[in-house]
Amino acid sequence: TYNNLNTSGSGTKTLGGDVIVGGNLTIGSGTVVDVSSTNNSLNIRALSVAGNWSNNGTFTPRSGTVTLTGSSGTQTISGSTTFNHLTINGTGTTKDFGSSTNTINGNLTVTAGVMNAGTSTFIFNGSGSLAGANAKRFYDVQINSGVTTTISSDQVFIARNLINNGIYTYSSGVKKTTLNGSSAQSISGSGTTTFGDLTVNNSSGGITLSQDVSIDGALTLTSGIISAATNKVTIGANGSVSGGSN
């Protein structure tokens, strides 16, 4: 257990066990923080951080889980980080991702608190789920080829672009995605995109499709339009459309 944990200088700093940081974690430039010294399936270290996460170096996640546990105010995340599993916790707090770039190799779970996407980018580079009872809020989302990203709980919000080169889908029961940007948004890529429910709430340019999409549940056009061009929007047999106008 540490209060604040700062790393500096060259070389690799290895977690010898589960680590709790009660304050800020700062990974210095040129520094590698490695979840374990050997790369095997038992590298499941847990790293909990209650303060700000600042990555100016390299974080090697192995098979571990990072939990952001701040219990008051705003907890900021900055830099470019690859996580295996990332859990957001802390009732009554905001996790502010600012302009960070976050690569997720496994699951993203929001169990408590508010996820503020800022202008961040989330890249899903391994198959996993978007889970947890609280809202999952994104700005730019990218799903890489060969990756399946599954919504396993409601409340996914995307404020700008979805680039899907893999599979975007949902688990049993219809789960909702809301496109709620304040500027023009797009859905693109070479993958397969299947929504449960989809709500469009963007009056500042609407949504432009550069790939076909399927909606198995309800399409709700709260504000803004979908510009499909030559692409298809397929509504499932039990689906519905509401809102909008010709």
Side-chain angles (χ1 to χ4, degrees), residues 2 13-19 34-37 45-46:
Y2 299 87
K13 322 300 180 184
T14 302
L15 302 187
D18 294 344
V19 172
D34 195 333
V35 167
S36 183
S37 59
R45 305 293 189 200

Side-chain angles (χ1 to χ4, degrees), residues 46-95:
L47 173 59
S48 298
V49 180
N52 297 331
W53 175 287
S54 178
N55 184 8
N56 302 302
T58 301
F59 179 73
T60 304
R62 306 295 185 187
S63 300
T65 297
V66 171
T67 303
L68 303 176
T69 60
S71 59
S72 64
T74 299
Q75 186 174 7
T76 63
I77 298 87
S78 61
S80 180
T81 303
T82 297
F83 299 98
N84 182 45
H85 302 308
L86 176 62
T87 297
I88 295 172
N89 205 346
T91 301
T93 64
T94 297
K95 317 302 182 186

Side-chain angles (χ1 to χ4, degrees), residues 12-244:
T12 299
K13 322 300 180 184
T14 302
L15 302 187
D18 294 344
V19 172
I20 298 173
V21 181
N24 300 330
L25 171 66
T26 302
I27 302 174
S29 178
T31 300
V32 177
V33 173
D34 195 333
V35 167
S36 183
S37 59
T38 57
N39 188 6
N40 60 66
S41 62
L42 299 181
N43 293 332
I44 53 175
R45 305 293 189 200
L47 173 59
S48 298
V49 180
N52 297 331
W53 175 287
S54 178
N55 184 8
N56 302 302
T58 301
F59 179 73
T60 304
R62 306 295 185 187
S63 300
T65 297
V66 171
T67 303
L68 303 176
T69 60
S71 59
S72 64
T74 299
Q75 186 174 7
T76 63
I77 298 87
S78 61
S80 180
T81 303
T82 297
F83 299 98
N84 182 45
H85 302 308
L86 176 62
T87 297
I88 295 172
N89 205 346
T91 301
T93 64
T94 297
K95 317 302 182 186
D96 189 348
F97 285 85
S99 59
S100 63
T101 298
N102 306 278
T103 299
I104 310 293
N105 291 336
N107 301 327
L108 172 65
T109 304
V110 185
T111 58
V114 176
M115 179 180 177
N116 181 7
T119 58
S120 63
T121 299
F122 275 79
I123 301 169
F124 292 90
N125 196 44
S127 295
S129 64
L130 304 179
N134 282 30
K136 279 66 68 180
R137 298 183 182 275
F138 303 100
Y139 188 67
D140 281 327
V141 175
Q142 176 180 317
I143 301 171
N144 287 344
S145 177
V147 171
T148 298
T149 298
T150 303
I151 304 172
S152 62
S153 64
D154 254 339
Q155 302 189 74
V156 174
F157 296 84
I158 301 174
R160 201 168 76 150
N161 299 329
L162 170 61
I163 302 173
N164 179 18
N165 294 308
I167 297 173
Y168 182 88
T169 188
Y170 63 96
S171 61
S172 59
V174 176
K175 305 299 190 297
K176 181 188 289 187
T177 299
T178 299
L179 304 177
N180 63 333
S182 58
S183 60
Q185 296 180 254
S186 67
I187 300 174
S188 63
S190 58
T192 301
T193 301
T194 303
F195 297 104
D197 290 341
L198 176 64
T199 295
V200 174
N201 188 9
N202 181 331
S203 60
S204 301
I207 315 300
T208 298
L209 298 184
S210 297
Q211 63 167 233
D212 297 343
V213 301
S214 297
I215 303 165
D216 290 343
L219 170 60
T220 304
L221 299 170
T222 302
S223 179
I225 63 172
I226 297 176
S227 301
T230 58
N231 299 287
K232 297 177 183 177
V233 177
T234 300
I235 307 297
N238 296 315
S240 64
V241 179
S242 63

